[in-house]
Amino acid sequence: MIRDESIESYLGRLASGEPTPGGGATGALAVAEGAGLLAMAARFSASEEDARASEGLIAACLGLADGDERGFGAVAEAFGLPRDTPEARSRRSAAIQAALAEAVRPPRGIVDAAERALDLAERVLDAANPNVLSDVGAALGCIRGGLTAATVTLETNLGPLRDEGVEGILRTDVDRADRLVARADALLGRVRAAVTG
């Protein structure tokens, strides 16, 4: 599991050419890093409640990273099933659709986690110790990166997906992620103005 790996081990696997871990897991870890920075900034700003909330978000994101690795592994396995007969093709197609329906859960969760992280970032920023403004800015960059990873992962899954209900949900999530990226950019603008002004 990713949560139990060293950073070096995880990055080695990421670079290995294997199908997992990939962009979704990396997006979850980016939001987790942002939450870690927010916890630190909250503590330096005398907001223990926000720090604890950020730590809870770290744990949730680690679960999403592990879930994404499992989910995409199942999709890759389904795509590798035999397709040499009509029956095999039918089984393969059904397995792909079932795996995709499960695999979209973690990237959707990343969008949810990023929204919670932005709520925390806004609260921390409102009362931030000036000495940690750059850390809040770095946290926002991580959260934004996690949103980008979740968005492209969801959009990638839309291609082979045949379930119109799930497809509609994913398109809604992509639109929400785009709005959250704009929100992250606006908050980062506030940080930069405070740092330079």
Side-chain angles (χ1 to χ4, degrees), residues 159-182:
L161 197 61
R162 303 280 186 274
D163 185 322
E164 290 183 8
V166 175
E167 184 179 333
I169 291 168
L170 297 192
R171 291 195 187 285
T172 299
D173 284 334
V174 167
D175 290 343
R176 182 165 59 112
D178 287 339
R179 290 192 301 273
L180 292 172
V181 165

Side-chain angles (χ1 to χ4, degrees), residues 21-42:
T26 302
L29 292 179
V31 177
E33 285 186 292
L37 285 164
L38 291 175
M40 179 187 68

